[in-house]
Amino acid sequence: YSRLAPYTVFVAAQKETDLMRELYHIYRPKGFDGVIGQDDAIAVLENHLEENNLPRAILLSGPSGVGKTTIARILKTRLGCHSNDYHEIDCPALEEIVKEMRGIKKHMGLLATKSGGCRIWYLDECHVLPKSPGQQSLLKMLEDTPLHVYFFLASTEPNKLISTIRN
């Protein structure tokens, strides 16, 4: 959930096409201070960022609309990730899972576009990946992640992930 300016609803209602769009498409917080309802998660992430020891893989879970994508995008900005090095993958839309996993593995070793930057893969609804080969391939990548690569995994049903990814 995000703090919305009082006028946001009125701005959204000015065009018929905007009426059909969710408010989070119109307004998305640019920093952690704009995210509400996630104080504990934000505090943990802030501590990791301050100590410069953010885990290479983070599982963001919860029902739709709680801010999983927003938090990932804020982390992208905080980590100084160039937009060319940030990849959002909608797992339910993947047609060739093995091919996609091979592509990620191939590109993991490449340096970031920006000197000293990082590469990030955000896998939305990753629980829909089949246990084999999808989740097993993902697990292997998580175990061999280079220091400049981060994986943000988002799931509305984390119980469907294999336990080694959840832990």
Side-chain angles (χ1 to χ4, degrees), residues 3-91:
R3 290 187 184 112
L4 299 174
Y7 57 85
T8 304
V9 174
F10 300 112
V11 171
Q14 287 180 355
K15 296 180 183 176
E16 185 177 320
T17 56
D18 286 340
L19 288 172
M20 294 184 238
R21 294 177 60 197
E22 292 89 355
L23 287 176
Y24 65 84
H25 286 293
I26 297 166
Y27 173 79
R28 186 182 296 269
K30 303 290 186 234
F32 285 140
D33 57 336
V35 178
I36 60 172
Q38 301 297 333
D39 297 338
D40 293 338
I42 300 296
V44 169
L45 292 171
E46 287 279 11
N47 287 338
H48 280 294
L49 288 167
E50 287 174 16
E51 295 172 8
N52 200 24
N53 70 348
L54 191 69
R56 298 291 171 219
I58 297 173
L59 176 60
L60 303 165
S61 65
S64 182
V66 298
K68 298 179 293 290
T69 303
T70 298
I71 289 172
R73 290 180 181 176
I74 293 169
L75 284 170
K76 172 194 95 152
T77 303
R78 293 284 301 270
L79 291 168
C81 181
H82 190 275
S83 59
N84 291 339
D85 294 323
Y86 179 77
H87 310 277
E88 284 190 11
I89 298 172
D90 182 23
C91 292

Side-chain angles (χ1 to χ4, degrees), residues 120-136:
I120 298 172
W121 276 270
Y122 173 75
L123 281 72
D124 195 18
E125 299 300 332
C126 61
H127 65 270
V128 302
L129 295 172
K131 290 190 183 344
S132 181
Q135 290 187 33
Q136 293 295 335

